Amino acid sequence: MKVVEVASGHGTIPEEVIENVLARHDIVDTVSKVVQLSKQGKYLWGLCPFHSEKSPSFTVTPDRGVFHCFGCGMGGNAIKFRMEIEGLSFPEAVRIMAEESDIPVPEGRGGAMAPPDPERDRLIQAYELSAKFYHFLLKNTEYGTAAMDYLRTRGFSDKMIDQFQIGYAPDRWDTLLQFLEKRSFDLAEMEKGGLLSVRGENKGYLDRFRGRVIFPIANRMGKTIAFAGRILGEGQPKYLNSPESRLFNKSRILYNLHQSKASIRKTRQIVLFEGYGDVISAWEAGVHNGVATMGTSLTEGHVALMKSLGDEIVLAYDGDKAGQAAALKAIPLLEDSGLRVKVALLPSGLDPDEFISRHGGDRFREQVIDSAVSSIKFKLIYLKKNHILLEEDGKIAYVKEALEIIAGLHSSTEREVYLREISSELELSYDSLKQDCNLLRASMQKNNPEGDNNDKRWNNGRHKKGQVQTPTLLPAYHVAERRLLSFMIQDPEAAAYVGERLGEEFNIDDHAAIAAYLYAYYAQGKPPGISRFLSSLQDDRLEKTATAISMMDTPPDWNTQVLDDCIREVQKYPLLRKIEPKREEMIQAEKSGDFLRAAQIASEILALERQ
């Protein structure tokens, strides 16, 4: 019999807290904040937020409380969805969701212990200590003098330096190395986690960050999980981020989210900046709902995370050409997810940090953030800069391109507002502009008659052609094991029946593990239900497999004949595996003329077949 070790629990979070979280966080409401869903039959369908696809293969089953993607295999309950979207551990996700629903989370005894993850815990501890160490070096040693001078010229107050725990990494190769070594951290683990680098020819380790101002990057819970280092003086790269690690995925992390989430939750608005300095300066100016991407372009992971937190995004990018081009690129990604988008307008060449230094926080809030324009208005302003409107050719070209933007708007009121603005600004006939716009709109609808409907139906920002796996025909024993588990998930009596006759003798390891978890789950007197059961697994692969099995169209009613047929199919497979090599052995015996041996093997095969 296979022995499957079953670990269960969730740190010191009591089981009743997890059940309350699942009860208060409806799967449809949770997913709908990120994915636009449409009902078809018993499922809600949408485009998967975890892989690129053009046709929807992502489903939500309200009565079971689970999501599942038939394309990439991702699946689970509401807690799992938040974990994957926001890059959280299980305890972190539960605590955040409990906080959102005013569910108290008692500490200490009473909760089952989660499977330990000592390497992750050590890495977080190392980052937390390193952040404090770098901050100390900045504030209290000669190493940090030049860095403090630089930060003060940037307008960073001591209060902000402390609040954001800004630090300094001296321009030496072994400062942090010695610090970590004295505290008995495994240096290979520290290199893997991004704090150290390997020296040339693999001769030991050295500090990854040297001669840089350090900006700690925290997760949703406020734990430091990475660093961004800005070089002092000349040199490349200007900014150096920690590499991707088990703690840090820059495509799903937003700088300062841990501090800004309270303000975001209150206002449902997020101000998105390009840089760390912009976020810090804006915070001191009173903008407490600001975040920034990790020195990378806006990704679908960022969008999904923001969609789960707010309704409106204000893009506060730099006022130069690169910043405006980045804003233009970000708009469709955000709007396709259903977010409202505004764009803060900055004087050419200034970034938010510089604007605040020159004009102060009050003017920044009033003239930049509060005066942000709609995405359409921004596109028209951006477009205007590419044409010389004093020349007839420039004016005609601008109007032609502007009409293409306006014609795509669903609201006739919005179209009228922008057409009247152009009419007044360029002294053109409103009626002529409206007629041209209507003709263009009719042409668009003719070329894409289902465009509007399709956009509304499946529009959640994922238009890349995805590769959906073609379903494969599973062998009979595999199907039988999945059917058994499907019955067992729905009914503890079915689980007890299978447990007595089959136990954990499933041929597929993951199926044996899920069966073992089910036996343990029901032994604790817990009710059936895939959403609750998933929270006991604590294993990504098993969660995906169990979710996929729960999606099978297995009738809730069962009888012993159905279960017995499946059990026989499962038990038959090991015997069949023994028969195949014996057939080969018999053929070889016949070919070599050893007919006595061939007859003996044939007898063994018959005995196995009778079994």
Side-chain angles (χ1 to χ4, degrees):
M1 178 180 276
K2 273 189 192 100
V3 177
V4 181
E5 292 186 12
V6 178
S8 65
H10 318 286
T12 56
I13 301 174
E15 295 292 338
E16 59 266 25
V17 171
I18 296 163
E19 291 182 10
N20 286 338
V21 164
L22 288 171
R24 298 278 284 276
H25 287 265
D26 177 74
I27 187 68
V28 177
D29 292 342
T30 301
V31 174
S32 293
K33 290 177 181 176
V34 177
V35 180
Q36 193 162 331
L37 299 170
S38 179
K39 188 166 177 59
Q40 277 195 349
K42 65 179 179 180
Y43 299 136
L44 294 167
W45 292 79
L47 292 170
C48 181
F50 305 112
H51 83 287
S52 295
E53 62 179 13
K54 195 171 183 181
S55 299
S57 62
F58 179 89
T59 62
V60 173
T61 316
D63 59 335
R64 295 175 187 168
V66 295
F67 71 92
H68 176 68
C69 178
F70 290 98
C72 68
M74 184 65 75
N77 56 22
I79 297 171
K80 180 67 173 178
F81 187 81
R82 290 288 293 271
M83 287 170 63
E84 293 298 325
I85 285 293
E86 301 177 34
L88 303 168
S89 68
F90 185 91
E92 289 169 348
V94 172
R95 290 177 192 281
I96 288 168
M97 295 168 79
E99 179 190 323
E100 291 170 353
S101 301
D102 296 321
I103 299 169
V105 183
E107 298 289 347
R109 294 180 183 178
M113 292 305 295
D117 192 345
E119 186 178 335
R120 185 178 187 275
D121 293 343
R122 283 194 300 270
L123 197 52
I124 288 177
Q125 184 188 13
Y127 266 106
E128 289 276 285
L129 287 171
S130 299
K132 290 173 184 174
F133 179 55
Y134 283 144
H135 184 64
F136 176 84
L137 293 177
L138 172 72
K139 299 270 309 235
N140 301 288
T141 70
E142 289 185 11
Y143 292 122
T145 303
M148 280 296 285
D149 291 342
Y150 162 76
L151 290 168
R152 289 197 171 111
T153 61
R154 288 281 304 270
F156 291 177
S157 67
D158 285 354
K159 181 183 175 184
M160 288 299 102
I161 290 170
D162 288 342
Q163 180 166 343
F164 288 85
Q165 209 174 15
I166 301 170
Y168 179 67
D171 196 9
R172 296 177 53 190
W173 67 269
D174 65 347
T175 307
L176 187 65
L177 175 70
Q178 289 186 26
F179 176 82
L180 295 171
E181 205 166 18
K182 283 178 184 176
R183 283 153 185 81
S184 302
F185 284 102
D186 184 302
L187 299 185
E189 277 186 8
M190 299 300 100
E191 185 275 327
K192 188 179 173 184
L195 283 166
L196 303 175
S197 297
V198 177
R199 293 185 72 178
E201 299 178 4
N202 291 321
K203 293 181 179 177
Y205 301 96
L206 61 131
D207 292 5
R208 178 176 177 82
F209 296 94
R210 304 184 300 279
R212 292 179 180 271
V213 175
I214 298 296
F215 295 90
I217 298 166
N219 62 14
R220 279 279 299 266
M221 304 301 287
K223 297 291 185 183
T224 305
I225 56 169
F227 292 130
R230 191 201 188 283
I231 198 164
L232 272 187
E234 300 299 317
Q236 291 296 326
K238 184 177 177 182
Y239 277 96
L240 178 68
N241 283 340
S242 295
E244 301 263 317
S245 71
R246 60 183 315 194
L247 299 180
F248 178 54
N249 180 341
K250 64 183 179 182
S251 297
R252 290 194 176 180
I253 294 286
L254 292 167
Y255 178 70
N256 194 47
L257 183 58
H258 66 297
Q259 294 192 113
S260 64
K261 62 185 179 183
S263 178
I264 291 169
R265 192 177 296 132
K266 188 185 295 183
T267 62
R268 300 297 296 172
Q269 182 196 68
I270 299 170
V271 180
L272 184 62
F273 295 98
E274 285 188 281
Y276 312 101
D278 295 333
V279 170
I280 296 168
S281 296
W283 183 280
E284 194 157 27
V287 179
H288 292 170
N289 55 339
V291 298
T293 50
M294 303 289 105
T296 183
S297 299
L298 187 69
T299 68
E300 290 171 333
H302 294 136
V303 174
L305 176 53
M306 289 190 287
K307 183 78 164 61
S308 71
L309 298 165
D311 305 315
E312 181 178 271
I313 307 297
V314 176
L315 292 172
Y317 286 4
D318 295 354
D320 57 13
K321 284 185 178 180
Q324 290 188 327
L328 203 63
K329 186 178 177 183
I331 288 169
L333 197 60
L334 292 163
E335 288 187 332
D336 283 350
S337 74
L339 286 160
R340 293 193 304 273
V341 182
K342 288 186 175 181
V343 183
L345 300 178
L346 284 152
S348 180
L350 287 185
D351 59 34
D353 185 18
E354 292 166 338
F355 184 97
I356 293 166
S357 295
R358 291 190 191 183
H359 305 295
D362 291 342
R363 279 185 66 180
F364 178 73
R365 287 196 315 277
E366 294 164 11
Q367 296 181 13
V368 178
I369 301 300
D370 295 344
S371 302
V373 301
S374 70
S375 60
I376 297 297
K377 179 75 173 175
F378 171 73
K379 288 178 183 177
L380 295 173
I381 292 169
Y382 184 84
L383 195 61
K384 199 182 298 178
K385 292 179 180 178
N386 295 328
H387 299 284
I388 302 172
L389 300 183
L390 295 174
E391 297 177 0
E392 290 301 316
D393 287 348
K395 187 184 292 187
I396 292 167
Y398 166 68
V399 170
K400 184 180 178 183
E401 291 179 33
L403 287 177
E404 288 179 1
I405 293 171
I406 297 168
L409 292 171
H410 298 298
S411 167
S412 58
T413 305
E414 281 188 82
R415 293 198 298 273
E416 181 175 345
V417 168
Y418 293 118
L419 289 173
R420 288 198 181 279
E421 279 188 14
I422 293 174
S423 169
S424 172
E425 188 178 12
L426 300 182
E427 298 180 349
L428 296 172
S429 162
Y430 167 74
D431 290 334
S432 297
L433 288 172
K434 185 177 180 180
Q435 185 178 355
D436 287 348
C437 184
N438 288 340
L439 287 170
L440 187 57
R441 187 167 171 78
S443 174
M444 287 177 173
Q445 289 174 336
K446 185 179 178 182
N447 292 332
N448 186 19
E450 299 178 12
D452 288 353
N453 291 333
N454 285 345
D455 284 348
K456 288 178 182 176
R457 186 173 175 187
W458 301 121
N459 199 358
N460 74 338
R462 310 193 61 84
H463 295 296
K464 297 177 195 169
K465 191 169 183 178
Q467 190 137 14
V468 177
Q469 296 171 357
T470 306
T472 52
L473 194 62
L474 299 173
Y477 77 92
H478 194 141
V479 174
E481 291 186 1
R482 288 169 66 90
R483 286 198 76 196
L484 285 173
L485 289 170
S486 180
F487 283 122
M488 292 162 69
I489 287 168
Q490 295 180 65
D491 192 335
E493 289 186 20
Y497 187 89
V498 174
E500 289 172 8
R501 288 154 183 80
L502 188 64
E504 294 161 19
E505 290 299 315
F506 288 77
N507 296 293
I508 295 167
D509 288 342
D510 284 358
H511 293 171
I514 291 169
Y517 271 107
L518 275 167
Y519 301 144
Y521 178 82
Y522 289 133
Q524 296 171 46
K526 295 183 180 178
I530 183 63
S531 181
R532 286 182 176 183
F533 172 63
L534 289 173
S535 294
S536 70
L537 292 179
Q538 292 288 293
D539 182 282
D540 282 347
R541 193 174 71 243
L542 294 184
E543 285 183 43
K544 289 179 184 178
T545 304
T547 305
I549 289 170
S550 76
M551 302 296 288
M552 293 172 65
D553 288 323
T554 308
D557 298 326
W558 56 274
N559 57 57
T560 55
Q561 180 64 47
V562 172
L563 296 184
D564 287 340
D565 288 345
C566 291
I567 290 169
R568 268 197 301 275
E569 198 66 53
V570 173
Q571 291 173 330
K572 186 168 68 174
Y573 179 66
L575 298 173
L576 291 173
R577 287 188 66 184
K578 290 179 182 177
I579 289 172
E580 285 307 314
K582 286 191 176 294
R583 288 192 196 281
E584 287 294 322
E585 194 180 342
M586 184 178 72
I587 291 167
Q588 291 302 320
E590 288 173 346
K591 284 182 179 178
S592 63
D594 190 350
F595 297 107
L596 180 60
R597 177 64 184 146
Q600 287 174 339
I601 297 170
S603 178
E604 291 172 12
I605 290 171
L606 283 170
L608 286 169
E609 286 178 341
R610 285 193 198 100
Q611 289 182 54

